[in-house]
Amino acid sequence: MGNILSKIREMEEDGTLPQFDPTNMGDVLNLAYSKGLRQQIMFDAMDMIRENPNLSNEEAVISSAKKWHVI
């Protein structure tokens, strides 16, 4: 366990620790999950896709997250 913590500390110091990317659907859904809004965002994204079939899944999820003020 000490090796993992030291590696994380090294990555923080080097600036190589992955940061949150608001354009990445996975990062957005992980943040929504931590706030308890993942399911609501997914349902809202499905509704958006039904209304506009030209939207990609990623676009719909990011739009929904913005609507719910997650990002």
Side-chain angles (χ1 to χ4, degrees):
M1 191 65 153
N3 290 338
I4 293 172
L5 295 176
S6 63
K7 180 64 176 176
I8 292 172
R9 194 174 316 114
E10 287 174 14
M11 290 175 75
E12 285 177 341
E13 291 171 359
D14 294 343
T16 57
L17 189 66
Q19 300 294 321
F20 174 76
D21 181 11
T23 61
N24 183 333
M25 184 173 69
D27 287 350
V28 170
L29 288 175
N30 285 335
L31 180 59
Y33 177 77
S34 70
K35 294 183 176 191
L37 290 171
R38 183 180 185 277
Q39 188 174 15
Q40 188 60 44
I41 286 175
M42 293 297 290
F43 287 150
D44 196 36
M46 287 189 298
D47 290 341
M48 288 180 177
I49 291 172
R50 280 189 205 106
E51 292 171 4
N52 184 2
N54 295 328
L55 275 178
S56 70
N57 291 340
E58 189 167 339
E59 291 171 336
V61 167
I62 291 171
S63 295
S64 177
K66 287 179 182 176
K67 179 181 172 184
W68 283 92
H69 303 287
V70 172
I71 54 173

